[in-house]
Short mmCIF file of all heavy atoms in Angstrom, two decimals:
data_model
loop_
_atom_site.label_atom_id
_atom_site.label_comp_id
_atom_site.label_asym_id
_atom_site.label_seq_id
_atom_site.Cartn_x
_atom_site.Cartn_y
_atom_site.Cartn_z
N ILE F 1 64.07 268.08 183.37
CA ILE F 1 63.97 269.00 184.50
C ILE F 1 64.86 268.45 185.60
O ILE F 1 64.80 267.26 185.94
CB ILE F 1 62.53 269.15 185.03
CG1 ILE F 1 61.60 269.70 183.93
CG2 ILE F 1 62.49 270.06 186.25
CD1 ILE F 1 60.14 269.80 184.37
N VAL F 2 65.70 269.32 186.16
CA VAL F 2 66.58 268.91 187.25
C VAL F 2 66.52 269.95 188.36
O VAL F 2 66.48 271.15 188.09
CB VAL F 2 68.04 268.71 186.75
CG1 VAL F 2 68.59 269.99 186.15
CG2 VAL F 2 68.94 268.26 187.89
N ILE F 3 66.45 269.48 189.59
CA ILE F 3 66.54 270.34 190.76
C ILE F 3 67.96 270.22 191.29
O ILE F 3 68.44 269.11 191.56
CB ILE F 3 65.54 269.93 191.86
CG1 ILE F 3 64.12 269.76 191.29
CG2 ILE F 3 65.56 270.92 193.01
CD1 ILE F 3 63.53 270.99 190.68
N ILE F 4 68.65 271.35 191.45
CA ILE F 4 70.00 271.36 192.00
C ILE F 4 69.96 272.19 193.28
O ILE F 4 69.78 273.41 193.23
CB ILE F 4 71.02 271.94 191.01
CG1 ILE F 4 70.97 271.17 189.68
CG2 ILE F 4 72.43 271.87 191.59
CD1 ILE F 4 71.91 271.72 188.61
N THR F 5 70.10 271.53 194.41
CA THR F 5 69.85 272.17 195.70
C THR F 5 70.92 271.84 196.72
O THR F 5 71.58 270.80 196.61
CB THR F 5 68.46 271.74 196.23
OG1 THR F 5 68.26 272.25 197.56
CG2 THR F 5 68.34 270.21 196.29
N GLY F 6 71.08 272.72 197.68
CA GLY F 6 71.96 272.43 198.80
C GLY F 6 71.34 271.48 199.80
O GLY F 6 72.04 270.96 200.68
N ARG F 7 70.06 271.25 199.70
CA ARG F 7 69.38 270.34 200.62
C ARG F 7 69.80 268.89 200.38
O ARG F 7 70.11 268.51 199.25
CB ARG F 7 67.86 270.41 200.41
CG ARG F 7 67.20 271.56 201.07
CD ARG F 7 65.70 271.41 200.98
NE ARG F 7 65.03 272.52 201.61
CZ ARG F 7 64.73 272.58 202.90
NH1 ARG F 7 65.04 271.56 203.69
NH2 ARG F 7 64.11 273.63 203.40
N PRO F 8 69.73 268.05 201.41
CA PRO F 8 69.82 266.61 201.17
C PRO F 8 68.74 266.18 200.19
O PRO F 8 67.62 266.72 200.18
CB PRO F 8 69.58 266.01 202.57
CG PRO F 8 70.02 267.07 203.51
CD PRO F 8 69.63 268.37 202.85
N VAL F 9 69.06 265.23 199.35
CA VAL F 9 68.16 264.86 198.26
C VAL F 9 66.82 264.35 198.78
O VAL F 9 65.77 264.64 198.20
CB VAL F 9 68.86 263.83 197.34
CG1 VAL F 9 68.99 262.48 197.99
CG2 VAL F 9 68.13 263.73 196.01
N ASP F 10 66.82 263.61 199.88
CA ASP F 10 65.55 263.08 200.40
C ASP F 10 64.66 264.19 200.94
O ASP F 10 63.44 264.12 200.83
CB ASP F 10 65.82 262.03 201.49
CG ASP F 10 66.47 260.77 200.93
OD1 ASP F 10 66.33 260.51 199.72
OD2 ASP F 10 67.14 260.05 201.70
N GLN F 11 65.26 265.22 201.55
CA GLN F 11 64.48 266.37 202.00
C GLN F 11 63.83 267.07 200.82
O GLN F 11 62.65 267.45 200.87
CB GLN F 11 65.39 267.37 202.72
CG GLN F 11 65.55 267.17 204.20
CD GLN F 11 66.25 268.36 204.83
OE1 GLN F 11 66.49 269.39 204.19
NE2 GLN F 11 66.60 268.21 206.08
N ALA F 12 64.60 267.29 199.77
CA ALA F 12 64.06 267.98 198.59
C ALA F 12 62.92 267.19 197.96
O ALA F 12 61.91 267.76 197.52
CB ALA F 12 65.18 268.23 197.57
N ARG F 13 63.06 265.89 197.92
CA ARG F 13 61.98 265.04 197.37
C ARG F 13 60.71 265.19 198.21
O ARG F 13 59.60 265.30 197.67
CB ARG F 13 62.41 263.59 197.36
CG ARG F 13 63.47 263.26 196.33
CD ARG F 13 64.10 261.91 196.59
NE ARG F 13 63.12 260.82 196.49
CZ ARG F 13 63.37 259.56 196.85
NH1 ARG F 13 64.56 259.24 197.35
NH2 ARG F 13 62.44 258.65 196.71
N ARG F 14 60.86 265.19 199.54
CA ARG F 14 59.69 265.29 200.42
C ARG F 14 59.04 266.66 200.32
O ARG F 14 57.82 266.77 200.12
CB ARG F 14 60.12 265.01 201.87
CG ARG F 14 58.97 265.12 202.89
CD ARG F 14 59.45 264.82 204.30
NE ARG F 14 60.36 265.84 204.79
CZ ARG F 14 59.97 266.97 205.39
NH1 ARG F 14 58.67 267.23 205.55
NH2 ARG F 14 60.85 267.83 205.83
N LEU F 15 59.85 267.72 200.45
CA LEU F 15 59.30 269.07 200.44
C LEU F 15 58.81 269.49 199.05
O LEU F 15 57.97 270.36 198.93
CB LEU F 15 60.34 270.06 200.95
CG LEU F 15 60.70 269.90 202.43
CD1 LEU F 15 61.92 270.76 202.79
CD2 LEU F 15 59.53 270.26 203.32
N GLY F 16 59.36 268.85 198.02
CA GLY F 16 58.91 269.14 196.66
C GLY F 16 57.67 268.38 196.25
O GLY F 16 57.05 268.72 195.24
N ARG F 17 57.32 267.33 196.99
CA ARG F 17 56.14 266.52 196.68
C ARG F 17 56.18 266.01 195.24
O ARG F 17 55.15 265.83 194.59
CB ARG F 17 54.85 267.32 196.93
CG ARG F 17 54.64 267.71 198.38
CD ARG F 17 53.35 268.47 198.59
NE ARG F 17 52.96 268.49 199.99
CZ ARG F 17 52.65 269.59 200.68
NH1 ARG F 17 52.67 270.77 200.07
NH2 ARG F 17 52.30 269.52 201.93
N PHE F 18 57.38 265.76 194.76
CA PHE F 18 57.55 265.40 193.36
C PHE F 18 56.97 264.03 193.00
O PHE F 18 56.68 263.77 191.84
CB PHE F 18 59.04 265.43 193.00
CG PHE F 18 59.69 266.77 193.21
CD1 PHE F 18 60.83 266.88 193.99
CD2 PHE F 18 59.17 267.91 192.63
CE1 PHE F 18 61.45 268.10 194.18
CE2 PHE F 18 59.77 269.15 192.81
CZ PHE F 18 60.92 269.24 193.60
N GLU F 19 56.82 263.17 194.01
CA GLU F 19 56.37 261.80 193.74
C GLU F 19 54.90 261.60 194.04
O GLU F 19 54.41 260.47 194.02
CB GLU F 19 57.22 260.84 194.56
CG GLU F 19 58.69 260.89 194.19
CD GLU F 19 59.59 260.30 195.26
OE1 GLU F 19 59.74 259.06 195.29
OE2 GLU F 19 60.14 261.07 196.07
N GLU F 20 54.18 262.68 194.30
CA GLU F 20 52.78 262.57 194.71
C GLU F 20 51.80 262.71 193.54
O GLU F 20 50.59 262.78 193.75
CB GLU F 20 52.47 263.62 195.77
CG GLU F 20 53.23 263.41 197.08
CD GLU F 20 52.93 264.47 198.11
OE1 GLU F 20 51.98 265.26 197.91
OE2 GLU F 20 53.65 264.52 199.13
N GLY F 21 52.30 262.77 192.33
CA GLY F 21 51.42 262.91 191.18
C GLY F 21 52.19 262.71 189.89
O GLY F 21 53.41 262.51 189.89
N PRO F 22 51.50 262.79 188.77
CA PRO F 22 52.12 262.50 187.46
C PRO F 22 52.88 263.70 186.91
O PRO F 22 52.72 264.83 187.37
CB PRO F 22 50.92 262.17 186.59
CG PRO F 22 49.81 263.02 187.17
CD PRO F 22 50.05 263.04 188.65
N GLY F 23 53.68 263.44 185.88
CA GLY F 23 54.32 264.49 185.10
C GLY F 23 55.82 264.61 185.31
O GLY F 23 56.50 265.17 184.47
N LEU F 24 56.32 264.10 186.44
CA LEU F 24 57.74 264.27 186.74
C LEU F 24 58.46 262.93 186.80
O LEU F 24 59.39 262.74 187.59
CB LEU F 24 57.89 265.03 188.06
CG LEU F 24 57.38 266.48 188.03
CD1 LEU F 24 57.41 267.11 189.41
CD2 LEU F 24 58.19 267.32 187.04
N GLU F 25 58.05 262.02 185.94
CA GLU F 25 58.64 260.68 185.94
C GLU F 25 60.10 260.67 185.47
O GLU F 25 60.82 259.70 185.70
CB GLU F 25 57.81 259.75 185.05
CG GLU F 25 56.44 259.43 185.62
CD GLU F 25 55.39 260.51 185.36
OE1 GLU F 25 55.70 261.48 184.60
OE2 GLU F 25 54.27 260.41 185.90
N ARG F 26 60.55 261.75 184.83
CA ARG F 26 61.95 261.84 184.39
C ARG F 26 62.75 262.87 185.20
O ARG F 26 63.88 263.20 184.84
CB ARG F 26 62.02 262.18 182.91
CG ARG F 26 61.44 261.10 182.00
CD ARG F 26 61.58 261.49 180.53
NE ARG F 26 60.75 262.64 180.18
CZ ARG F 26 61.22 263.78 179.69
NH1 ARG F 26 62.51 263.94 179.49
NH2 ARG F 26 60.40 264.77 179.39
N LEU F 27 62.19 263.36 186.29
CA LEU F 27 62.86 264.37 187.10
C LEU F 27 64.16 263.83 187.70
O LEU F 27 64.25 262.66 188.07
CB LEU F 27 61.93 264.81 188.24
CG LEU F 27 62.49 265.85 189.21
CD1 LEU F 27 62.64 267.21 188.54
CD2 LEU F 27 61.58 265.96 190.45
N VAL F 28 65.14 264.71 187.79
CA VAL F 28 66.38 264.41 188.50
C VAL F 28 66.53 265.44 189.62
O VAL F 28 66.34 266.64 189.40
CB VAL F 28 67.60 264.47 187.56
CG1 VAL F 28 68.91 264.33 188.34
CG2 VAL F 28 67.50 263.40 186.48
N VAL F 29 66.84 264.97 190.83
CA VAL F 29 67.12 265.86 191.95
C VAL F 29 68.56 265.64 192.39
O VAL F 29 68.94 264.52 192.75
CB VAL F 29 66.17 265.62 193.14
CG1 VAL F 29 66.54 266.54 194.30
CG2 VAL F 29 64.72 265.84 192.73
N CYS F 30 69.36 266.69 192.32
CA CYS F 30 70.75 266.66 192.77
C CYS F 30 70.82 267.40 194.10
O CYS F 30 70.62 268.62 194.15
CB CYS F 30 71.67 267.32 191.75
SG CYS F 30 71.69 266.49 190.14
N GLY F 31 71.06 266.67 195.17
CA GLY F 31 71.09 267.24 196.51
C GLY F 31 72.50 267.54 196.98
O GLY F 31 73.48 267.02 196.44
N GLN F 32 72.59 268.39 198.02
CA GLN F 32 73.87 268.77 198.61
C GLN F 32 74.85 269.24 197.54
O GLN F 32 75.98 268.79 197.44
CB GLN F 32 74.43 267.63 199.45
CG GLN F 32 73.42 267.11 200.46
CD GLN F 32 73.93 266.99 201.87
OE1 GLN F 32 74.75 267.77 202.32
NE2 GLN F 32 73.43 266.00 202.58
N TYR F 33 74.33 270.13 196.68
CA TYR F 33 75.09 270.77 195.61
C TYR F 33 75.50 269.80 194.50
O TYR F 33 76.27 270.16 193.61
CB TYR F 33 76.32 271.50 196.17
CG TYR F 33 75.94 272.59 197.14
CD1 TYR F 33 75.79 272.31 198.49
CD2 TYR F 33 75.68 273.87 196.70
CE1 TYR F 33 75.39 273.29 199.39
CE2 TYR F 33 75.28 274.86 197.59
CZ TYR F 33 75.14 274.56 198.93
OH TYR F 33 74.73 275.54 199.80
N GLY F 34 74.97 268.59 194.54
CA GLY F 34 75.28 267.61 193.51
C GLY F 34 76.02 266.40 194.03
O GLY F 34 76.26 265.44 193.28
N ALA F 35 76.36 266.38 195.32
CA ALA F 35 77.01 265.20 195.89
C ALA F 35 76.05 264.02 195.93
O ALA F 35 76.48 262.86 195.89
CB ALA F 35 77.52 265.51 197.30
N GLU F 36 74.75 264.29 196.01
CA GLU F 36 73.72 263.25 195.99
C GLU F 36 72.89 263.40 194.72
O GLU F 36 72.75 264.51 194.19
CB GLU F 36 72.80 263.37 197.20
CG GLU F 36 73.49 263.25 198.54
CD GLU F 36 72.51 263.44 199.69
OE1 GLU F 36 71.55 264.20 199.53
OE2 GLU F 36 72.73 262.81 200.73
N ARG F 37 72.30 262.29 194.28
CA ARG F 37 71.43 262.35 193.08
C ARG F 37 70.35 261.29 193.17
O ARG F 37 70.60 260.14 193.55
CB ARG F 37 72.27 262.13 191.81
CG ARG F 37 71.42 262.04 190.54
CD ARG F 37 72.27 262.05 189.30
NE ARG F 37 71.48 261.73 188.11
CZ ARG F 37 71.68 262.24 186.91
NH1 ARG F 37 72.65 263.13 186.72
NH2 ARG F 37 70.94 261.87 185.88
N TRP F 38 69.13 261.71 192.82
CA TRP F 38 67.99 260.79 192.71
C TRP F 38 67.39 260.93 191.31
O TRP F 38 67.16 262.04 190.83
CB TRP F 38 66.93 261.13 193.75
CG TRP F 38 65.63 260.40 193.55
CD1 TRP F 38 65.37 259.09 193.77
CD2 TRP F 38 64.39 260.98 193.10
NE1 TRP F 38 64.06 258.80 193.49
CE2 TRP F 38 63.43 259.93 193.07
CE3 TRP F 38 64.00 262.26 192.72
CZ2 TRP F 38 62.11 260.15 192.68
CZ3 TRP F 38 62.69 262.48 192.33
CH2 TRP F 38 61.76 261.42 192.32
N ASP F 39 67.18 259.80 190.66
CA ASP F 39 66.55 259.77 189.33
C ASP F 39 65.16 259.17 189.48
O ASP F 39 65.02 258.00 189.87
CB ASP F 39 67.38 258.92 188.37
CG ASP F 39 68.66 259.60 187.96
OD1 ASP F 39 69.63 259.57 188.74
OD2 ASP F 39 68.69 260.17 186.87
N ALA F 40 64.14 259.96 189.15
CA ALA F 40 62.77 259.48 189.27
C ALA F 40 62.52 258.28 188.36
O ALA F 40 61.75 257.38 188.70
CB ALA F 40 61.78 260.60 188.95
N SER F 41 63.17 258.25 187.21
CA SER F 41 62.91 257.19 186.25
C SER F 41 63.29 255.82 186.78
O SER F 41 62.63 254.82 186.47
CB SER F 41 63.66 257.47 184.94
OG SER F 41 65.05 257.53 185.18
N SER F 42 64.32 255.74 187.58
CA SER F 42 64.79 254.45 188.12
C SER F 42 64.54 254.31 189.61
O SER F 42 64.56 253.20 190.15
CB SER F 42 66.29 254.29 187.86
OG SER F 42 67.03 255.27 188.58
N GLY F 43 64.31 255.44 190.30
CA GLY F 43 64.19 255.41 191.75
C GLY F 43 65.52 255.30 192.46
O GLY F 43 65.58 255.24 193.68
N GLU F 44 66.61 255.32 191.71
CA GLU F 44 67.94 255.13 192.30
C GLU F 44 68.40 256.40 193.00
O GLU F 44 68.25 257.51 192.49
CB GLU F 44 68.95 254.76 191.21
CG GLU F 44 70.36 254.56 191.73
CD GLU F 44 71.37 254.32 190.61
OE1 GLU F 44 71.00 254.46 189.43
OE2 GLU F 44 72.53 253.99 190.94
N VAL F 45 68.98 256.22 194.20
CA VAL F 45 69.60 257.31 194.94
C VAL F 45 71.09 257.01 195.06
O VAL F 45 71.47 255.92 195.49
CB VAL F 45 69.00 257.49 196.35
CG1 VAL F 45 69.73 258.59 197.11
CG2 VAL F 45 67.52 257.81 196.26
N ARG F 46 71.90 257.97 194.66
CA ARG F 46 73.35 257.83 194.82
C ARG F 46 73.84 258.88 195.78
O ARG F 46 73.54 260.07 195.62
CB ARG F 46 74.04 257.99 193.46
CG ARG F 46 73.91 256.78 192.55
CD ARG F 46 74.46 257.06 191.17
NE ARG F 46 73.47 257.74 190.34
CZ ARG F 46 73.74 258.26 189.15
NH1 ARG F 46 74.95 258.22 188.67
NH2 ARG F 46 72.78 258.84 188.45
#
C-alpha cells in the first residue's frame, strides 16, 4: 500500500494516523508528489 500525495510526507503521516495502530507496517508514503518518501518498515524519511 502506498500513499502518493501532494502533501508534505510528515503532514500525511500525522493526518493519516498511520502509525497509531497495527496493520500498516509496510506502508509507504510519498509526499510532495513523490519528492519525499517515508517507509514504515524502516522509519526512514528521504
Side-chain angles (χ1 to χ4, degrees):
I1 299 177
V2 59
I3 310 299
I4 305 177
T5 174
R7 279 189 180 273
V9 71
D10 293 337
Q11 271 191 8
R13 290 166 62 189
R14 179 179 68 86
L15 293 170
R17 296 181 163 128
F18 301 126
E19 298 161 82
E20 295 179 11
L24 294 173
E25 291 81 8
R26 295 182 293 121
L27 179 70
V28 173
V29 178
C30 297
Q32 308 230 34
Y33 299 89
E36 300 178 328
R37 174 171 170 145
W38 170 73
D39 288 80
S41 59
S42 65
E44 179 185 8
V45 177
R46 284 173 276 171

